[in-house]
């Protein structure tokens, strides 16, 4: 048989001819150019003309040309005749011609024959012919073979998937990237190999180089598939770039993917736009994604409308999210109902989400039950949420056990929540450890709480560090003033967050340094926030500076708030001024307020004033 080359193979890009409305410009003229040669018996012209007619859907015109060329031994014609017969529904006859072409060396026909056998369930025959096609460098054959081997769990699948990807098969590039991505997720970061690529960074580039680590190679295959229009590859590439902080490029790939109809990319693009401050554009893409069935986008739309006070629209989108299979929709519906005081409905939606494994819904349900004084019903849901990893639930379990007096169990849950980054839990764990006398563990927890923004945590950490400070001695002549201790920095951090006791302490430290202005500022802030110690100390500072009338105002505020020393100061001030009745009243108040040493001194002053008044 005189076998010619595959000059007009349709199977290079698929097994079906293109519709006539996609005919390339000039195709008709090309057909007319080949027709005279075909009519004169030129085998190559008949094969090419038949392929062209098949490509534009003219099966009746293509068949005689292909049969004639096939009879003359043209393997490309035999392959394309198989395509034509397959389109007419004669699969077995098509397979016969594909076999002839494949035996003659047509990689495309071997691929088609392999696909035929796989569709019939004959995997051994399918593997044989697909391997014949793949080994000849046919991209579709390599991909189909990889797919077959992967389905069987054969380790050789990756080799052929890589071969197909290297020959430009975009789905193969995407699936290879997914495989590498999963492998990278399973590996420890320290086990990754250092990448060494050429200037192009192309994983198919030739030359001596080390193997890329899976994550880096996956990214490059995603990039190749995305560049060829693979929308899911563009989505994954965008996600990688977003995690790396390359938001502009990530947005471009998300946009490409979203325009091709990938709802998840539209949703991700919307979040990028929202974070950039463009809420209106974000809403447009969320809407598009939600209408395509993306539950995450529907949830985002629900949250957006809820934020605007459009609760009915928000509820509609939360329900749409739930209908799309996103259980967050039920949880968000529960939150919405709880905010509106619809407790029964909130309970219903929380339960639905919690039974589906939503840990925060389980925690919210437990809180709802606890608010209804059903502690016994709340505890199992708190436990379920905590075991699933909810740090809020672990903290709430700590509170629940503490309320029962079980401090040991409470501490265990506090420390578990603190290990998950819960600031308030770290504070409570630190306080509990201080109560138990474990100062080292307490300091560790308090540092976590303070670092997480807890003013109380910063204050308590400062007190622990402050207690370790040696008592200050008088500075030697010419000695430099020492730098501020760490405890003072934590006191200041707490004070700047409005912690009143910290403000008083910072004021005291400033006063000890002779910084009267700073001391007065911190005392005043504390006093105006309601601190009686701040008011008392501010009065002392003002009195030393000669502003006794203003000092009396702050002492009065402190005494009215229950500060015994402030009441005693007022009693002494009134006595010096000769206002014995008022002095006696404040002295009596100081006796009531204490502490004992103040009460004793105030009692003597009160008795002396009483004697003076009765003399």
């Amino acid at each position: 048989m005189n076998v010619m080359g595959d000059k007009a193979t349709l199977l290079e890009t698929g097994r079906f001819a293109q519709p006539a409305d996609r005919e390339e410009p000039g195709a008709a003229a090309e057909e007319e150019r080949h027709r005279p040669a075909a009519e004169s018996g030129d085998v190559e012209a008949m094969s090419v003309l038949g392929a062209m007619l098949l490509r534009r859907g003219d099966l009746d015109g293509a068949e005689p040309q292909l049969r004639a060329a096939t009879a003359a031994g043209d393997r490309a014609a035999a392959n394309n005749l198989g395509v034509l017969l397959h389109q007419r529904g004669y699969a077995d006859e098509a397979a016969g011609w594909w076999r002839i072409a494949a035996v003659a060396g047509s990689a495309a026909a071997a691929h088609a024959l392999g696909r035929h056998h796989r569709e019939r369930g004959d995997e051994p025959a399918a593997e044989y012919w697909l391997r014949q096609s793949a080994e000849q460098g046919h991209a579709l054959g390599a991909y189909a073979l990889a797919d077959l081997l992967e389905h069987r769990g054969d380790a050789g699948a990756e080799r052929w998937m890589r071969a197909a990807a290297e020959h430009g098969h975009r789905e193969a590039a995407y699936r290879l990237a997914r495989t590498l991505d999963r492998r990278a997720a399973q590996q420890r970061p320290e086990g990754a190999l250092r990448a060494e690529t050429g200037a192009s960074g192309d994983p198919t580039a030739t030359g001596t180089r080390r193997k890329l680590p899976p994550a880096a190679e996956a990214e490059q295959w995603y990039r190749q598939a995305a560049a060829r229009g693979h929308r899911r590859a563009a989505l994954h590439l965008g996600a990688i770039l977003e995690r790396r902080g390359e938001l502009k490029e990530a947005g471009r790939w998300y946009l490409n993917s979203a325009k091709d109809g990938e709802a998840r990319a539209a949703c991700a693009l919307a979040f990028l736009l929202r974070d950039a401050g463009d809420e209106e554009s974000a809403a447009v893409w969320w809407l598009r994604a939600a209408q395509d069935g993306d539950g995450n986008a529907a949830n985002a739309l629900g949250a957006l409308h809820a934020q605007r006070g459009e609760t009915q629209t928000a509820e509609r989108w939360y329900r749409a999210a739930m209908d799309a299979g996103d259980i967050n929709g039920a949880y968000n519906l529960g939150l919405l109902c709880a905010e509106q005081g619809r407790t029964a409905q909130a309970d219903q939606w929380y339960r639905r989400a919690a039974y589906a494994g939503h840990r925060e819904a389980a925690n919210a349900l437990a809180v709802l039950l606890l608010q209804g004084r059903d502690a016994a019903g709340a505890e199992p849901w708190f436990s379920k949420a905590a075991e699933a990893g909810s740090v809020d639930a672990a903290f709430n379990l700590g509170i629940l056990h503490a309320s029962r007096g079980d401090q040991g169990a409470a501490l265990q849950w506090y420390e578990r929540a603190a290990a998950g980054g819960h600031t308030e839990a770290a504070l409570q764990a630190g306080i509990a450890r201080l109560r138990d006398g474990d100062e080292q563990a307490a300091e560790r927890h308090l540092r976590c709480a303070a670092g997480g923004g807890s003013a109380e945590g910063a204050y308590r950490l400062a007190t622990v560090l402050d207690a370790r400070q040696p008592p200050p001695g008088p500075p030697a002549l010419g000695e430099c003033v020492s730098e501020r201790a760490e405890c003072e920095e934590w006191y200041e951090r707490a004070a700047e967050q409005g912690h009143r006791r910290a403000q008083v302490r910072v004021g005291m430290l400033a006063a000890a340094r002779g910084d009267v202005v700073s001391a007065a500022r911190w005392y005043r802030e504390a006093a105006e926030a309601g601190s009686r110690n701040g008011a008392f100390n501010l009065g002392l500072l003002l009195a030393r500076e000669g502003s006794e009338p203003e000092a009396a105002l702050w002492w009065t505020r402190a005494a009215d708030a229950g500060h015994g020393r402030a009441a005693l100061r007022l009693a002494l001030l009134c006595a010096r001024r000769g206002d014995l009745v008022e002095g006696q009243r404040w002295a009596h108040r100081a006796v009531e307020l204490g502490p004992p040493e103040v009460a004793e001194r105030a009692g003597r002053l009160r008795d002396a004033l009483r004697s003076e008044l009765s003399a």
Side-chain angles (χ1 to χ4, degrees):
M1 180 182 288
N2 183 22
V3 180
M4 299 177 63
D6 290 344
K7 296 182 179 179
T9 303
L10 296 181
L11 290 173
E12 296 299 335
T13 56
R15 210 162 55 184
F16 302 99
Q18 297 179 5
D21 60 357
R22 294 183 59 184
E23 184 177 349
E24 296 178 3
E30 187 69 11
E31 287 178 20
E32 291 305 316
R33 188 174 69 83
H34 287 285
R35 193 175 296 277
E39 290 173 351
S40 66
D42 187 303
V43 175
E44 181 178 354
M46 288 189 289
S47 178
V48 172
L49 179 60
M52 295 180 73
L53 293 169
L54 178 60
R55 183 178 294 113
R56 67 180 177 85
D58 184 359
L59 304 188
D60 291 335
E63 185 170 353
Q65 300 292 340
L66 293 175
R67 285 190 180 277
T70 299
D74 190 292
R75 70 182 186 190
N79 175 39
N80 290 334
L81 180 58
V83 174
L84 185 148
L85 292 168
H86 188 276
Q87 290 190 44
R88 288 191 185 277
Y90 304 124
D92 292 335
E93 189 180 352
W97 290 112
W98 281 329
R99 181 181 297 275
I100 290 171
V103 169
S106 171
H111 162 248
L113 188 57
R115 289 280 303 275
H116 170 80
H117 283 298
R118 189 175 183 190
E119 289 168 2
R120 295 296 186 276
D122 187 354
E123 288 198 358
E127 181 181 351
Y128 174 81
W129 288 111
L130 291 175
R131 194 175 292 277
Q132 293 293 318
S133 175
E135 287 175 349
Q136 293 180 63
H138 193 272
L140 289 173
Y143 174 71
L145 176 60
D147 185 68
L148 175 64
L149 295 174
E150 188 174 87
H151 176 72
R152 290 207 313 240
D154 193 310
E158 186 177 329
R159 171 198 167 192
W160 292 110
M161 196 70 76
R162 186 180 296 276
E166 288 173 351
H167 282 86
H169 194 291
R170 70 179 190 181
E171 183 65 24
Y174 170 72
R175 289 178 62 174
L176 177 60
R178 295 296 295 145
T179 299
L180 294 165
D181 221 351
R182 287 190 290 269
R183 186 176 302 156
Q186 294 169 357
Q187 289 182 349
R188 294 181 179 178
E190 59 267 23
L193 296 173
R194 182 173 298 176
E196 287 188 8
T197 64
S200 66
D202 186 348
T204 66
T206 57
T208 303
R209 55 179 172 84
R210 292 183 188 175
K211 186 178 180 181
L212 282 170
E217 190 180 1
E219 180 182 342
Q220 293 196 359
W221 286 117
Y222 279 137
R223 191 176 291 277
Q224 288 209 15
R228 292 186 173 97
H230 196 291
R231 69 187 193 186
R232 283 173 296 163
L235 167 66
H236 286 283
L237 179 58
I240 290 170
L241 294 166
E242 183 180 359
R243 286 194 298 269
R244 210 158 57 210
E246 298 175 24
L247 303 184
K248 189 173 181 180
E249 188 180 359
R252 286 201 302 269
W253 287 113
Y254 282 149
L255 180 60
N256 289 346
S257 181
K259 285 181 176 178
D260 287 339
E262 181 60 52
R264 290 174 296 169
C267 183
L269 176 61
F271 278 111
L272 278 186
L273 291 166
R274 190 275 311 272
D275 293 343
D278 189 354
E279 195 173 82
E280 293 305 316
S281 296
V284 171
W285 285 106
W286 275 327
L287 179 61
R288 182 167 174 174
Q291 289 173 338
D292 287 339
D294 189 277
N296 193 20
N299 268 315
L301 276 176
L304 182 63
H305 287 289
Q307 182 183 345
R308 295 172 177 175
E310 301 163 357
T311 55
Q312 289 186 341
T313 306
E315 184 169 339
R316 179 166 62 84
W317 282 114
Y318 287 148
R319 288 179 183 274
M322 194 169 55
D323 292 342
D326 191 331
I327 201 61
N328 283 310
Y331 172 58
N332 289 331
L333 273 172
L335 292 175
L336 191 65
C337 292
E339 288 173 2
Q340 296 172 341
R342 295 153 59 192
T343 306
Q345 291 93 331
D347 182 292
Q348 170 195 346
W349 293 117
Y350 285 150
R351 283 183 189 275
R352 181 164 178 172
Y355 279 121
H358 196 294
R359 66 189 188 190
E360 297 309 328
N363 178 61
L365 174 60
V367 171
L368 198 66
L369 293 169
L370 199 59
Q371 290 170 346
R373 302 184 183 280
D374 184 4
E379 185 173 355
W381 286 111
F382 277 139
S383 297
K384 184 175 182 179
E387 293 298 340
S390 170
V391 293
D392 287 332
F395 174 64
N396 289 334
L397 271 174
I399 294 174
L400 192 62
H401 285 290
S403 68
R404 296 171 179 167
D406 189 351
Q407 300 300 333
L411 177 57
Q412 288 180 359
W413 286 111
Y414 285 148
E415 291 192 324
R416 184 164 177 173
H422 197 289
T423 299
E424 186 62 26
L427 171 62
Q428 294 302 323
I431 292 171
R433 288 297 185 184
L434 277 178
R435 186 172 57 245
D436 295 342
D438 188 348
E439 189 177 291
Q440 186 175 2
E443 181 184 343
R444 185 178 71 251
H445 288 307
L446 291 173
R447 284 189 182 277
C448 290
S454 169
E456 183 67 20
Y459 172 73
R460 288 183 180 266
L461 173 61
T463 60
V464 169
L465 299 173
D466 202 359
R468 297 177 188 164
Q469 293 286 108
L477 188 63
E479 182 181 359
C480 296
V481 178
S482 61
E483 294 183 359
R484 292 191 310 165
E486 185 187 3
C487 66
E488 189 169 353
E489 295 177 4
W490 287 112
Y491 279 133
E492 282 196 7
R493 182 176 295 191
E496 287 166 355
Q497 292 176 257
H499 194 286
R500 294 182 299 179
R501 285 176 294 167
Q503 290 170 339
V504 172
R505 185 60 182 150
V506 172
M508 291 171 66
L509 292 170
R513 290 197 305 269
D515 188 351
V516 177
V517 175
S518 293
R521 178 173 69 86
W522 286 115
Y523 287 150
R524 192 178 297 276
E525 283 198 27
E528 289 175 347
S531 169
R532 61 189 186 185
N533 285 330
F536 174 69
N537 287 355
L538 179 58
L540 290 178
L541 197 66
L542 291 167
R544 292 193 193 107
E545 295 296 313
S547 302
E548 199 169 73
E550 188 180 354
L553 293 175
W554 289 107
W555 282 333
T556 301
R557 181 181 290 194
D560 288 341
H563 199 287
R565 286 188 173 83
L568 178 57
R569 286 279 177 174
L570 286 169
L572 291 168
L573 186 60
C574 291
R576 284 202 309 272
R577 291 174 176 173
D579 189 349
L580 304 185
V581 174
E582 187 69 8
Q584 186 180 2
R585 184 177 74 81
W586 281 116
H588 181 72
R589 180 68 173 147
V591 170
E592 292 176 340
L593 294 173
E597 65 273 14
V598 170
E600 181 184 356
R601 186 179 174 190
R604 292 197 302 269
L605 177 59
R606 181 187 60 188
D607 293 342
L609 292 174
R610 183 184 298 122
S611 298
E612 186 71 22
L613 284 169
S614 61

